[in-house]
Amino acid sequence: MKALTGLLWVVTLATGFYGTVKGVSEKAHATGKSFWRVFFSGQENFIWHSAPGWYYPVLIALTVVTVAVTAWYFFSRD
């Protein structure tokens, strides 16, 4: 169960990282600015408009499952 919890956290964080990088990259390409300039401006870190359609349902589901499995793991131990 410990390995499953760790794997879920890694997958959830990787999914969040993917969405941020994809959103910032698309905004940088659309505006002609560099990736880092857009990223450090902080204006495009909220990327609802840039993420693919599957991204947020998957991220939300992964987050809910990960938190639930983590809570179950910590609170169900004897």
Side-chain angles (χ1 to χ4, degrees):
M1 186 50 110
K2 188 176 188 179
L4 174 64
T5 303
L7 178 65
L8 281 171
W9 277 108
V10 168
V11 170
T12 302
L13 292 174
T15 303
F17 179 75
Y18 165 79
T20 300
V21 169
K22 182 163 179 58
V24 172
S25 295
E26 287 182 8
K27 184 63 173 184
H29 181 69
T31 60
K33 297 178 182 176
S34 74
F35 174 89
W36 294 110
R37 183 173 177 159
V38 172
F39 181 78
F40 286 120
S41 72
Q43 296 172 356
E44 292 305 320
N45 290 340
F46 186 70
I47 55 165
W48 284 99
H49 59 284
S50 299
W54 60 266
Y55 176 72
Y56 281 100
V58 169
L59 180 62
I60 291 167
L62 271 172
T63 303
V64 168
V65 168
T66 301
V67 170
V69 168
T70 302
W72 182 74
Y73 172 72
F74 280 114
F75 295 119
S76 69
R77 296 188 306 174
D78 293 329

